Amino acid sequence: MEVKKYEEIHFVDSTRAVWNYSFFSEDDIRNFQQGTHYRLYDLFGSHEIEVLGKRGYYFAVWAPNATAVSVIGNFNDWNPTTHPLFVRLDKSGIWEGFIPGMSRGEVYKYHIDGFKGVKTDKGDPYANFWEKRPNTASITWDLGYNWKDDDWMSNRGKHNSLEAPCSIYEVHLASWMRPNKHDEESYNSYDQLRQLMVPYVQEMGFTHVEFMPIMEHPFDGSWGYQGTGYFAPTSRFGDPQSFMELINAFHEAGIGVILDWVPSHFPYDAHGLFMFDGANTYEYADMRKGFHPDWNSYVFNYKRGEVKSFLISSARFWFDKFHIDGIRVDAVSSMLKLNYSRTHGQWEPNEYGGDGNIEAINFIKDLNETIYRDFHDIQTIAEEATDWPGVSRPTVNNGLGFGMKWMMGWMHDTLDYFKMDPIYRRHYQNKFSFSMMYYYDENFLLPLSHDEVVHGKSPMIFKMPGDEWQKFANLRTLYTYMFTHPGGKLLFMGSEFGDTNEWNYKSELQWDLLKFDSHQLMKDCVRDLNLLLRNEPAMYENQFNIYGFEWVDLNHPAECVVAYRRKGKDPANDLLIILNLTPVVRHDWKVYTYGKSEWREIFNSDDKRYWGTGNVFNPEIFTRSLDKNDNMYEINVHLPPLGAIVLK
């Protein structure tokens, strides 16, 4: 049934500066209020349309505590009296109207006469484009774009599957590379990043990129995690179509795109969501729930249907309009727990006496159900650091419904272990092996993220003990362990070549280090680990189930030698990984395992190609049958110092 336009049913008074007009049906209003409308971006915000033969922009904003709302901008000299919007009579709190003659690229805000007479000028929560900070107005725009990624979109299910290799390159777009590394106001555009970054990520063999939040945000120092524009890529690097072009280029190169997304909190900037119409509209009114003590920011009111519809619409928007392949949801722990970063008296238990935020839990479940229902070939990933059960389990099994969860325990234990002088590692093998005790609880992704290399935490290379050679050898071994451990992988930019600075969002990566062999060959090592991951089915086919991993040797803690097997669906593809976690060379080391009488070395982290010694390798591997009935063999190998070998 064809839906009739508003002007075909209603009289439109075209004598005013703002014409009465509406996109909303009764069903839209009901779903919006109940928290079940997930395409609000098609209704709210500014949209170019034609009414009675006149082109212009339709505006709609939710301001339930307002007594008047008008559109202001350069087009009317920021006069709040000339372009008032109409309030809907259904008490939905929606203000709307059509402004004829308004063109694309106009800056605007909403002037709101709010609760108790408070007057505010707010940016559009649903805007698709904003002025570049420090300016704060929204911009009328459209999202028209001719996508050229049909091949990727029709086949991406196999790339984004839990049975596919997953190696994510985490990127902060501003500081990856700058035209002038000494000028924090110097940015590469989305177009320049397309030319520079896409071939680099492709060469390095990563399967996905993950962008730290690109949604519009006022303060660079928040790294994007305190946003004002939930439906707009930041204008720091260009317009929305240029960002689409960047995503399209990654897809054409066979690389998926994941966006960090922050539904946990927002800042108090005057033009943002805080006290939007003079009252707590988007945030909880009770500051025991509504204020975030860690970040001096405000927490979304997940109990309010309109806010829930807003947030799920935001997540859906990036999949729908920007063809993204996944979202990494930030700070999930802070959403789940009422007592997160709060002490006694600073929080109130839920209706059952517990510390879970029940409406936030329901919001997260609805979010995942909606996204996977509408985009079955993507992933949602939780940055969640507690032992909350079932984060990456289906909601029908009482899980939260995420596809994957960051494995923070693995990250902490692994870094603690590798930071140790090798002489002490013999006492801490359990730190190394503990991850597999709880690995099958979730679909885990192993993160070595920006959080591990920021101010005061040291870059990856300087976490490693020993002299320069040992630092690089340790780091190559750590990366080999990470890539051969079950689960997805995430590596923050710069870590792939051993950046020697902590990450500084005001500068750029130390690309000049690549003139040194130690760093260039470290980069080559990570590239080859990515290729190993992509090319060996045993590394990914069973990465989230009990059939993909098996300890082979944990019986030599004194020597710090560990061996394990990675198993795919075909036993012929099995891999044997042996790590020597001290600087002592082990010649003729015996490993006992079953099933295969012939093995060859396919990766050695001590190879000269990676700035290793190149002295200890296995051109030929001798095996001896121990028990023909049990198919057991003794494998004799040479183990390089602070090194890892992979046998097939």
Side-chain angles (χ1 to χ4, degrees):
M1 186 180 80
E2 185 182 353
V3 178
K4 291 191 177 228
K5 292 181 180 178
Y6 180 88
E7 62 269 37
E8 294 174 323
I9 305 171
H10 303 90
F11 170 73
V12 174
D13 183 354
S14 59
T15 64
R16 302 188 183 197
V18 181
W19 300 1
N20 56 297
Y21 205 84
S22 183
F23 279 3
F24 292 86
S25 69
E26 289 182 12
D27 282 348
D28 288 326
I29 300 299
R30 185 162 49 250
N31 283 318
F32 173 51
Q33 293 174 329
Q34 291 176 353
T36 53
H37 202 309
Y38 306 139
R39 297 184 63 103
L40 292 179
Y41 46 87
D42 289 335
L43 305 175
F44 281 105
S46 62
H47 298 272
E48 187 178 17
I49 56 170
E50 184 177 302
V51 181
L52 303 179
K54 191 84 172 166
R55 297 210 61 84
Y57 270 80
Y58 164 77
F59 293 85
V61 64
W62 178 57
N65 300 292
T67 55
V69 177
S70 61
V71 182
I72 55 174
N74 289 337
F75 71 98
N76 64 6
D77 294 326
W78 302 91
N79 185 335
T81 64
T82 60
H83 289 82
L85 296 178
F86 297 89
V87 66
R88 289 183 63 87
L89 301 179
D90 52 19
K91 299 184 179 176
S92 62
I94 295 170
W95 300 75
E96 59 188 347
F98 172 74
I99 302 180
M102 190 93 155
S103 57
R104 184 179 189 258
E106 287 279 3
V107 298
Y108 71 97
K109 284 186 177 180
Y110 295 115
H111 177 80
I112 301 173
D113 289 341
F115 186 65
K116 291 188 175 176
V118 172
K119 289 179 167 44
T120 56
D121 293 339
K122 292 289 188 178
D124 188 340
Y126 290 88
N128 299 138
F129 197 22
W130 291 68
E131 289 186 294
K132 184 178 171 183
R133 62 101 184 96
N135 295 327
T136 56
S138 306
I139 303 175
T140 57
W141 208 251
D142 66 64
L143 294 177
Y145 176 71
N146 178 29
W147 288 93
K148 302 169 283 290
D149 62 350
D150 288 355
D151 283 351
W152 172 269
M153 294 299 286
S154 56
N155 294 302
R156 70 174 178 175
K158 67 183 184 189
H159 298 288
N160 297 332
S161 161
L162 293 175
E163 293 185 1
C166 175
S167 175
I168 300 168
Y169 187 53
E170 186 191 26
V171 175
H172 179 257
L173 283 181
S175 59
W176 182 73
M177 188 182 286
R178 293 182 188 270
N180 178 357
K181 68 179 177 182
H182 303 296
D183 178 9
E184 63 179 290
E185 293 298 315
S186 160
Y187 295 113
N188 280 312
S189 68
Y190 290 123
D191 293 334
Q192 290 167 316
L193 288 164
R194 186 178 82 245
Q195 294 160 18
L196 295 165
M197 190 186 293
V198 174
Y200 179 80
V201 176
Q202 189 175 33
E203 174 217 336
M204 287 300 296
F206 289 99
T207 65
H208 294 74
V209 287
E210 178 183 316
F211 298 144
M212 291 165 67
I214 54 82
M215 294 79 185
E216 194 56 83
H217 54 283
F219 177 47
D220 288 27
S222 78
W223 312 335
Y225 289 100
Q226 295 201 17
T228 46
Y230 277 71
F231 297 84
T234 177
S235 55
R236 287 166 175 81
F237 316 114
D239 62 30
Q241 281 76 9
S242 298
F243 184 53
M244 291 172 175
E245 194 74 28
L246 176 62
I247 294 173
N248 189 89
F250 272 115
H251 284 172
E252 289 189 310
I255 297 160
V257 178
I258 299 165
L259 300 184
D260 273 11
W261 182 66
V262 190
S264 44
H265 63 122
F266 58 88
Y268 51 79
D269 295 75
H271 65 286
L273 298 176
F274 176 61
M275 298 290 283
F276 188 75
D277 52 11
N280 304 111
T281 305
Y282 284 89
E283 68 273 19
Y284 285 110
D286 182 347
M287 286 298 112
R288 289 175 298 178
K289 291 170 83 170
F291 179 71
H292 206 298
D294 282 1
W295 303 313
N296 277 341
S297 56
Y298 291 86
V299 180
F300 283 105
N301 181 352
Y302 307 107
K303 193 169 189 176
R304 192 160 195 172
E306 296 94 337
V307 174
K308 187 169 154 237
S309 291
F310 168 83
L311 285 170
I312 296 181
S313 290
S314 168
R316 197 182 184 286
F317 169 81
W318 297 99
F319 290 101
D320 185 14
K321 301 295 187 183
F322 284 83
H323 286 203
I324 66 165
D325 299 281
I327 50 172
R328 188 279 245 170
V329 182
D330 183 63
V332 172
S333 306
S334 73
M335 299 162 66
L336 295 173
K337 295 271 198 171
L338 292 166
N339 57 359
Y340 185 90
S341 285
R342 293 177 173 87
T343 57
H344 183 70
Q346 295 177 328
W347 66 284
E348 187 178 40
N350 64 32
E351 60 204 79
Y352 304 107
D355 62 2
N357 184 337
I358 291 170
E359 51 258 30
I361 296 165
N362 290 333
F363 156 71
I364 289 169
K365 289 181 177 182
D366 283 356
L367 165 74
N368 284 314
E369 287 175 359
T370 302
I371 297 303
Y372 278 111
R373 178 197 70 196
D374 295 348
F375 307 95
H376 60 90
D377 50 2
I378 56 83
Q379 291 296 341
T380 65
I381 303 166
E383 191 254 326
E384 203 284 319
T386 71
D387 57 357
W388 192 279
V391 172
S392 60
R393 294 293 177 256
T395 55
V396 292
N397 297 339
N398 207 31
L400 293 181
F402 287 99
M404 283 185 262
K405 166 180 166 165
W406 276 25
M407 196 174 189
M408 308 296 270
W410 173 89
M411 179 271 295
H412 288 302
D413 287 349
T414 298
L415 291 181
D416 285 351
Y417 182 88
F418 273 90
K419 284 175 186 174
M420 281 178 216
D421 188 305
I423 201 166
Y424 301 118
R425 288 177 179 170
R426 61 189 299 172
H427 305 299
Y428 293 95
Q429 182 172 280
N430 62 316
K431 275 252 186 217
F432 192 87
S433 59
F434 183 63
S435 63
M436 293 312 298
M437 295 291 289
Y438 62 94
Y439 176 76
Y440 302 107
D441 294 348
E442 302 279 358
N443 298 333
F444 277 121
L445 183 145
L446 317 181
L448 294 175
S449 75
H450 66 276
D451 277 330
E452 309 323 312
V453 295
V454 290
H455 181 63
K457 289 196 175 179
S458 143
M460 290 298 298
I461 191 66
F462 289 148
K463 296 183 197 295
M464 302 297 108
D467 59 22
E468 185 184 32
W469 185 88
Q470 289 192 352
K471 287 184 191 302
F472 278 90
N474 268 302
L475 191 56
R476 291 191 303 270
T477 303
L478 187 163
Y479 288 160
T480 308
Y481 168 54
M482 173 186 184
F483 273 85
T484 57
H485 189 291
K489 336 287 175 198
L490 179 140
L491 194 62
F492 183 58
M493 63 180 198
S495 300
E496 75 274 18
F497 60 77
D499 207 331
T500 56
N501 281 345
E502 292 172 326
W503 172 55
N504 177 5
Y505 73 90
K506 296 181 179 181
S507 185
E508 70 167 10
L509 302 184
Q510 290 173 282
W511 295 106
D512 52 345
L513 289 176
L514 292 176
K515 66 189 178 195
F516 301 108
D517 283 352
S518 53
H519 295 276
Q520 174 63 48
L521 300 181
M522 169 64 79
K523 173 174 161 288
D524 291 349
C525 178
V526 172
R527 176 202 65 204
D528 286 358
L529 284 167
N530 270 322
L531 296 178
L532 188 75
L533 174 68
R534 282 172 170 263
N535 294 332
E536 295 297 335
M539 298 265 271
Y540 57 81
E541 284 181 339
N542 290 318
Q543 63 185 332
F544 295 116
N545 64 51
I546 60 172
Y547 306 109
F549 179 90
E550 182 181 303
W551 288 115
V552 171
D553 187 357
L554 279 177
N555 299 321
H556 292 88
E559 295 89 349
C560 297
V561 174
V562 171
Y564 50 91
R565 194 168 180 139
R566 290 301 310 280
K567 302 186 288 185
K569 294 179 177 177
D570 180 353
N573 292 327
D574 283 10
L575 302 178
L576 186 62
I577 296 94
I578 309 169
L579 308 177
N580 179 16
L581 298 158
T582 68
V584 179
V585 177
R586 311 280 181 190
H587 285 293
D588 298 313
W589 186 265
K590 308 292 190 294
V591 178
Y592 302 95
T593 189
Y594 62 88
K596 287 168 133 184
S597 60
E598 291 184 20
W599 295 86
R600 60 189 168 87
E601 184 179 279
I602 62 170
F603 181 86
N604 185 324
S605 70
D606 191 48
D607 198 307
K608 278 186 175 168
R609 292 181 298 167
Y610 310 136
W611 211 58
T613 68
N615 297 333
V616 185
F617 55 98
N618 296 277
E620 193 174 359
I621 295 175
F622 297 100
T623 60
R624 183 166 67 92
S625 175
L626 296 180
D627 187 326
K628 287 189 176 177
N629 290 332
D630 286 343
N631 214 9
M632 284 294 293
Y633 292 90
E634 176 189 88
I635 302 169
N636 190 330
V637 288
H638 310 308
L639 304 181
L642 293 172
I645 61 172
V646 180
L647 310 181
K648 183 174 182 179

